[in-house]
Amino acid sequence: MRWCVRRRGEQPEFRGHATAGAVVVNAEGRALFIRHVALGTWLTPGGHLEPEDADLLGAALRELIEETGITLSVAPVHAVPVHIDVHPIPANESKGEPAHQHFDFRYLFRLEGEGGGDQEVTLQEEEVSGYAWRSVDTITDETLRARILASLR
């Protein structure tokens, strides 16, 4: 398996590649979910690494900002991923991408300070069609949910 950054103009690796994700929890203990346009499902923010990303944590933060516009009072809970997940991505004929795997390094972030739970969300409409703050208990991946709950105690 080749772990690589998908560079503009280069042919991406389609057996699988690394991605970075952000689980964001607000002052009320609710996690941010986005409606992903291409997959048609609710996910936490995240995406592909870019050449300018210095590390995985920075990539997760960049994806969070790009997809949601959240920039104020966001802080990582840990400097290491709270979870690493491998999941299939279906083929996307419009992009010329066959089915492949994502190795998703997920980081936990908190909105901090006064009004941290009221952070305005501005969606990246070409990739995201909606958002919702939901209980951490609604995270379907049992391992991710348990690690987030343990980290927030």
Side-chain angles (χ1 to χ4, degrees), residues 1-52:
M1 190 65 51
R2 189 175 95 181
W3 293 73
C4 66
V5 172
R6 191 168 82 168
R7 299 182 191 282
R8 288 174 181 79
E10 284 186 4
Q11 188 68 287
E13 170 63 53
F14 281 114
R15 289 172 294 174
H17 48 263
T19 58
V23 178
V24 182
V25 178
N26 68 13
E28 290 79 35
R30 300 176 80 70
L32 178 63
F33 287 81
I34 58 169
R35 178 93 175 145
H36 193 275
V37 171
L39 297 176
T41 190
W42 289 93
L43 303 169
T44 53
H48 294 98
L49 306 181
E50 298 291 343
E52 63 270 13

Side-chain angles (χ1 to χ4, degrees), residues 34-39 46-47 63 66-67 95 123-130:
I34 58 169
R35 178 93 175 145
H36 193 275
V37 171
L39 297 176
E63 284 289 339
E66 284 179 4
E67 293 181 349
K95 291 183 176 181
L123 300 177
Q124 181 186 33
E125 293 179 358
E126 58 273 5
E127 292 186 24
V128 180
S129 64

